[in-house]
Amino acid sequence: MNEGRIQAAFEEGTFVLKLSGDVRLTLCATLDQQVEPLAELPGLERVIVDLRDVVNMDSTALGFLAKIALAVRERLPNQPLVMVEHPDVLQMLEVMGFQQYVTIVEATGSEPDRFDELPAMESGEEELRSRILEAHRTLMQMSEHNRMEFQPLVELLESQHQSH
Amino acid sequence: MYPRAALIGLLDSRNDRRLQLAEALERLGDCEVRLIESTDRLPERLDVLVADSACVEHAQWEALTSRLPTVVIAEQRNQATMLAAVDAGAVDYMIDPLQHVMLLHRILFRALGQHRQCQAAMHERDRLEHLNEQLETHLTILREDLQAGGQIQRRFLPPQGQVLNGVAADYWMAPSLYVSGDFLDYQAHSERYTMFCFADIAGHGASSALVTVLLKALFQRWLSRWNARAPENLPPRWLARLNRELLSLGVGKHAAIFVGVIDRETRMLHYSLGAQLPRPLLKTSQGTCVLPGEGPAVGLFPDIEYPALQYPLPESFSLWLCSDGILDCLPGKGLDERLEALCQCIGKVDTIAELRTMLALADALPDDLSFLTLTGFRHE
């Protein structure tokens, strides 16, 4: 069993949520309380959700992502960017109806230069590409240091997750 | 080291030695020595006992050692006397103690330390046993509570094996715990329509089961108010309403859902759906196909318009709905492989019972699992 993991980081206006493995938050009913504080982070400019290492997510975890997308909708110029690699995860996002609320990017591989080979997007391709590169840099720099910035959410998510 | 100086009882037959021994022990620190005249009158609060083998009958040792950690002293080595004391539980012995006071002091403190550890462990064990009993009691109460909830939830389900306006309904529900986050219902409306609903509330357990109660109440109310006009509008309207209800409640629960109305006269299925996975499967003489259409989950995004979908039903059909708990029970690596396996299985079986046998469903399920089949119109 590929144990699920949730990490979060906040740096230079970018909030990154990285989920990996088999993420099941079935019996967790308190996650929603964490969404508002996230959306009200001072200096928040963009949200990136990295699902590239996710093999499976339950509907509660998907719902949590949807609530994040809704919470930042009015506040940020761009929709959250969701990076997906596994076709099952992509299908789940589509079935739930995420397309309207987040920008889904099918990203394969994690080498920065591979991001240049991203499929062409209909609009704002350059802008999107730079956002993705930036996201990648943020992910690469996700260290203990900047995880501390958002420790309450990380701790909550991780403790909730272990307790199921 | 300890909250107070250790209180050592000294039972010594030799008057010339005992004061010296007591003073020598006290000089080494951390202790106070009480001289004891008889084994019958031990002072209160003694921590450890030093007993001269000459003062104690063989039969008396046990009464002493069971009360206190006891060290035996003797002037000369006497195997039988020592054996009797050690057999009865004395922790150690010492010959000619005045010559080895420091050693005796150490032995006494070690015996005392072990005795205290032992007592602490026993105390801790008693505490844990008590806590365990409390936990067991609470667990039993919770289990009984949930079982009672599960019984009520089952009462909400429609009667099995009904034929409503030419459509036979069959279902099976297995909660992963005691109550289910899955919901299904079907009812006839007049002589013409069969309304049915199949929903999977995100998560499982009590919080999701509570939402199923709300669904039951809402559908009951909406159906009783339906004027039997424009059946094509009923499913999308119900989904939009339910979406609003769940969002306005603010309980953070969303659901995958399918609502359908089968019109007996026109043989048309009017339906709408949100985040239904696996998608509903329709089995006819032509084979098994996925019912087209999709919509977002209810209770997640505001102001959603749900699709009004239609599908003409043949003379003979069966419609299969499964909650996503089935995905954990299907062979195949990815989602597509599993969905394909489900399609294949349903192609080979006629009833839910046969499907369950084919999938060899275990008792302990990782998620709530439900099936609903609607079969028509061969019962006409």
Side-chain angles (χ1 to χ4, degrees):
Chain A
M1 193 68 170
N2 189 345
E3 190 61 39
R5 230 186 130 195
I6 300 177
Q7 296 166 287
F10 182 53
E11 194 173 71
E12 291 176 13
T14 301
F15 176 78
V16 181
L17 191 66
K18 182 175 169 63
L19 278 60
S20 37
D22 185 354
V23 185
R24 294 183 188 230
L25 307 169
T26 306
L27 290 176
C28 169
T30 53
L31 274 179
D32 304 346
Q33 296 161 11
Q34 297 301 308
V35 173
E36 269 318 297
L38 189 164
E40 286 164 5
L41 274 176
L44 182 70
E45 289 168 27
R46 66 196 68 79
V47 172
I48 290 157
V49 181
D50 182 2
L51 304 179
R52 288 173 302 166
D53 295 335
V54 171
V55 292
N56 181 48
M57 294 172 74
D58 72 356
S59 51
T60 311
L62 284 159
F64 177 60
L65 292 188
K67 284 171 191 122
I68 290 175
L70 284 172
V72 300
R73 211 168 149 207
E74 304 299 321
R75 293 187 173 89
L76 303 182
N78 292 308
Q79 292 183 327
L81 193 67
V82 178
M83 300 157 97
V84 187
E85 192 165 327
H86 201 295
D88 290 5
V89 178
L90 182 65
Q91 193 171 344
M92 286 182 226
L93 290 171
E94 285 173 350
V95 165
M96 295 279 286
F98 269 79
Q99 307 84 315
Q100 284 183 50
Y101 301 88
V102 302
T103 305
I104 300 175
V105 179
E106 289 178 72
T108 48
S110 57
E111 298 302 313
D113 54 0
R114 294 283 306 276
F115 282 114
D116 297 340
E117 299 167 26
L118 278 171
M121 308 292 287
E122 285 163 29
S123 62
E125 193 188 332
E126 270 313 306
E127 197 265 343
L128 183 66
R129 185 168 293 171
S130 69
R131 276 169 67 200
I132 292 169
L133 278 169
E134 206 170 326
H136 184 77
R137 273 195 294 273
T138 311
L139 290 173
M140 295 296 278
Q141 290 161 356
M142 250 167 94
S143 61
E144 290 308 312
H145 154 71
N146 58 16
R147 276 188 57 177
M148 295 302 287
E149 296 255 6
F150 218 75
Q151 210 51 29
L153 178 74
V154 175
E155 276 173 12
L156 178 103
L157 291 174
E158 289 183 344
S159 68
Q160 290 288 2
H161 191 62
Q162 283 157 4
S163 63
H164 87 73
Chain B
M1 180 171 159
Y2 294 114
R4 58 181 173 84
L7 194 60
I8 301 171
L10 176 58
L11 181 66
D12 197 349
S13 59
R14 291 182 41 182
N15 295 335
D16 58 325
R17 181 179 64 186
R18 59 188 191 174
L19 276 173
Q20 271 181 293
L21 189 57
E23 283 167 11
L25 281 170
E26 284 180 346
R27 267 202 302 278
L28 288 170
D30 290 330
C31 65
E32 191 183 325
V33 181
R34 289 277 163 83
L35 297 177
I36 297 168
E37 300 305 325
S38 140
T39 53
D40 303 333
R41 291 197 303 277
L42 292 179
E44 290 296 311
R45 293 180 51 231
L46 278 186
D47 291 310
V48 60
L49 184 66
V50 180
D52 178 3
S53 62
C55 299
V56 184
E57 300 291 325
H58 283 203
Q60 288 179 310
W61 280 116
E62 195 154 354
L64 290 180
T65 59
S66 63
R67 276 189 64 180
L68 287 166
T70 306
V71 175
V72 190
I73 53 172
E75 207 49 40
Q76 284 169 358
R77 200 176 295 276
N78 178 330
Q79 179 109 335
T81 314
M82 290 297 175
L83 261 179
V86 170
D87 282 349
V91 289
D92 214 332
Y93 70 89
M94 176 152 294
I95 310 298
D96 194 8
L98 262 181
Q99 298 306 308
H100 308 95
V101 176
M102 193 176 279
L103 190 57
L104 178 62
H105 188 265
R106 296 273 167 90
I107 284 171
L108 286 171
F109 271 87
R110 197 190 59 192
L112 178 60
Q114 284 173 343
H115 180 69
R116 281 178 172 158
Q117 271 181 354
C118 232
Q119 280 191 314
M122 275 164 65
H123 178 73
E124 187 61 12
R125 198 193 59 194
D126 288 348
R127 195 180 69 88
L128 285 175
E129 275 179 4
H130 177 67
L131 275 179
N132 250 336
E133 272 174 35
Q134 280 187 324
L135 267 179
E136 290 287 343
T137 310
H138 283 299
L139 265 180
T140 306
I141 292 170
L142 279 174
R143 192 179 298 119
E144 286 170 357
D145 188 26
L146 280 170
Q147 279 168 340
Q151 279 171 351
I152 288 185
Q153 198 179 31
R154 282 190 290 281
R155 292 274 177 89
F156 282 146
L157 292 170
Q160 282 273 21
Q162 283 192 105
V163 180
L164 305 168
N165 294 336
V167 177
D170 185 23
Y171 65 85
W172 183 72
M173 277 184 118
S176 68
L177 296 163
Y178 298 93
V179 288
S180 177
D182 289 352
F183 168 81
L184 60 88
D185 201 3
Y186 45 80
Q187 291 186 47
H189 191 281
S190 72
E191 301 283 291
R192 183 171 170 179
Y193 299 109
T194 310
M195 184 286 302
F196 62 95
C197 163
F198 188 82
D200 174 0
I201 318 292
H204 56 230
S207 62
S208 301
L210 283 171
V211 179
T212 66
V213 179
L214 174 73
L215 255 57
K216 174 79 186 174
L218 289 175
F219 287 155
Q220 200 71 37
R221 190 190 318 156
W222 295 341
L223 189 67
S224 65
R225 291 181 186 173
W226 186 46
N227 57 10
R229 292 202 193 115
E232 65 277 11
N233 293 337
L234 183 141
R237 217 173 52 221
W238 280 17
L239 259 55
R241 276 188 190 175
L242 184 62
N243 189 45
R244 282 196 297 275
E245 290 277 353
L246 286 174
L247 283 168
S248 66
L249 268 180
V251 290
K253 281 282 178 187
H254 58 277
I257 187 159
F258 183 98
V259 171
V261 177
I262 294 174
D263 183 342
R264 183 187 205 166
E265 282 183 23
T266 59
R267 290 203 171 153
M268 184 64 81
L269 165 65
H270 303 284
Y271 65 99
S272 191
L273 71 173
Q276 185 66 51
L277 190 80
R279 293 197 168 99
L281 293 169
L282 185 72
K283 199 174 157 183
T284 65
S285 57
Q286 308 297 307
T288 309
C289 71
V290 172
L291 214 54
E294 56 184 32
V298 289
L300 213 50
F301 304 113
D303 312 320
I304 300 272
E305 297 249 325
Y306 285 89
L309 302 157
Q310 276 86 40
Y311 202 93
L313 295 168
E315 176 78 27
S316 170
F317 73 90
S318 63
L319 181 65
W320 291 71
L321 291 148
C322 312
S323 69
D324 66 359
I326 190 72
L327 296 172
D328 291 315
C329 312
L330 288 163
K333 277 206 276 292
L335 197 55
D336 286 337
E337 275 183 36
R338 288 177 189 184
L339 292 170
E340 183 51 38
L342 178 65
C343 206
Q344 298 272 346
C345 288
I346 285 175
K348 291 180 197 154
V349 298
D350 290 321
T351 63
I352 290 173
E354 287 172 23
L355 178 66
R356 283 172 48 206
T357 308
M358 181 175 265
L359 294 173
L361 293 178
D363 288 338
L365 296 163
D367 190 5
D368 297 331
L369 178 53
S370 303
F371 301 113
L372 170 65
T373 59
L374 294 142
T375 319
F377 289 99
R378 60 195 94 149
H379 316 281
E380 299 283 54

